[in-house]
Amino acid sequence: MKAQVTELQLENARLIHSERADFQELMQIAGRLFELCSRLGLPLDKATKEIFQRRGWRTNTLVPKQ
């Protein structure tokens, strides 16, 4: 039983680490998308803008939808 608990704790730690790494990559991709859209003067599509807003990421500095 103790070995199973330890194994589950290790698996949980691996999953948490993996989720954090995935989140950091998502943040980098989102930042690059935001920068690219800003430089090209392109607005984010509605779905992407909603995702940014749900996560609390500012999108009001983007070029307004034309």
Side-chain angles (χ1 to χ4, degrees):
M1 177 78 162
K2 190 174 182 180
Q4 290 173 328
V5 169
T6 301
E7 186 178 330
L8 289 173
Q9 288 173 333
L10 290 172
E11 179 64 19
N12 190 40
R14 282 191 292 271
L15 290 171
I16 290 171
H17 177 75
S18 177
E19 286 178 3
R20 285 182 182 156
D22 290 347
F23 183 75
Q24 288 175 343
E25 288 177 4
L26 174 62
M27 291 286 293
Q28 290 175 350
I29 291 168
R32 290 178 181 165
L33 173 64
F34 182 83
E35 181 182 4
L36 180 62
C37 287
S38 294
R39 285 183 182 212
L40 295 175
L42 300 173
L44 291 174
D45 62 281
K46 183 180 177 186
T48 303
K49 195 170 190 174
E50 288 172 357
I51 291 169
F52 273 54
Q53 290 172 343
R54 276 197 309 269
R55 300 215 180 290
W57 301 338
R58 295 178 53 188
T59 60
N60 59 351
T61 57
L62 288 176
V63 176
K65 195 171 189 177
Q66 298 173 358

